[in-house]
Amino acid sequence: MNPLIKQLKKYGNLAPEIEAELHGKIKILKKHKGDFLLKKGQIISNLFVIEIGLVRSFYQTGQREINLWFGFENTILGSVIPLYFNQPSIENIQFLEDTILYYISQDDLESFYKSSQEMNTIGRKIAEEYCAILEERSFTLQTQTADQRYHWFLKNQPEALQRISLGHISSYLGISQETLSRVRKK
């Protein structure tokens, strides 16, 4: 089954005719490690799902990179500002591994949202889940110790340590690499 449709179905039922229409609108993108899906200032308003691979989102402030999130297999992703508001991105999305993505354009999504109550509900549920993830991440960064953040990260993304550099992980957790090393030794 198409990975994007499979993920959409986790949020609700799709009538066979809607699923068939979706198949016709979904495209495949293959990228190499180090390539960018999106750079700050660009507008790419597509909704993606990762079939194979790994991406990271980050802000660039001077010479410093601040990792925002990581996307693994079966992750639905897109940069919110370009996707929902058609404005330039404030984040970068880079491939940490060779990656295969499936995607649909925002224009096609909007068309489905208008013509299908099922798709509209699925879109709303995806947005709600994203809001919950952001709130939990914000809470964790603002209220948890480095040790608590690290254990929260391991619980929510256990495969990360084998696939993501410690520098990227420490940036994501908002701690130095030295602090991460101390926390990991405990």
Side-chain angles (χ1 to χ4, degrees):
M1 175 182 285
N2 179 301
L4 182 52
I5 292 174
K6 182 178 178 182
Q7 292 307 307
L8 293 174
K9 284 182 161 188
K10 288 182 176 181
Y11 297 92
N13 295 321
L14 286 174
E17 60 274 8
I18 298 295
E19 189 173 333
E21 282 184 61
L22 279 167
H23 271 288
K25 299 292 183 181
I26 295 172
K27 298 178 178 87
I28 300 174
L29 179 66
K30 297 178 182 181
K31 289 293 198 173
H32 296 288
K33 178 180 179 176
D35 290 348
F36 283 82
L37 177 64
L38 176 73
K39 289 186 177 183
K40 179 182 176 181
Q42 292 181 321
I43 300 173
I44 297 180
S45 47
N46 298 321
L47 186 69
F48 298 88
V49 70
I50 299 173
E51 179 182 40
I52 297 169
L54 174 62
V55 301
R56 73 175 175 130
S57 168
F58 67 97
Y59 297 135
Q60 183 86 39
T61 60
Q63 297 299 317
R64 191 168 161 230
E65 295 178 350
I66 301 168
N67 288 287
L68 305 171
W69 52 264
F70 301 103
F72 298 89
E73 287 80 8
N74 303 311
T75 299
I76 293 177
L77 63 101
S79 184
V80 171
I81 292 173
L83 180 63
Y84 294 114
F85 302 102
N86 200 36
Q87 295 178 3
S89 176
I90 60 173
E91 68 182 319
N92 301 284
I93 300 176
Q94 183 181 36
F95 297 96
L96 295 178
E97 298 175 354
D98 290 347
T99 302
I100 300 173
L101 303 124
Y102 285 68
Y103 69 96
I104 186 167
S105 73
Q106 175 60 19
D107 289 341
D108 287 336
L109 266 180
E110 278 298 318
S111 178
F112 279 107
Y113 292 160
K114 288 177 184 174
S115 67
S116 165
Q117 183 60 45
E118 299 165 308
M119 278 296 295
N120 195 306
T121 300
I122 288 169
R124 179 182 52 79
K125 287 181 178 180
I126 290 170
E128 289 170 352
E129 182 177 87
Y130 188 73
C131 288
I133 290 167
L134 286 177
E135 186 170 330
E136 183 178 16
R137 172 127 167 83
S138 177
F139 174 80
T140 300
L141 283 172
Q142 296 295 319
T143 65
Q144 304 292 305
T145 66
D147 190 56
Q148 290 169 321
R149 282 184 243 162
Y150 177 71
H151 286 89
W152 172 85
F153 181 66
L154 288 181
K155 177 184 161 206
N156 289 291
Q157 298 181 323
E159 69 276 21
L161 282 181
Q162 290 77 39
R163 297 173 69 183
I164 300 172
S165 75
L166 294 179
H168 287 322
I169 292 171
S170 65
S171 168
Y172 174 79
L173 296 175
I175 59 177
S176 69
Q177 285 191 37
E178 294 78 18
T179 299
L180 178 59
S181 292
R182 282 193 299 275
V183 168
R184 290 183 71 216
K185 286 180 183 175
K186 290 182 183 180

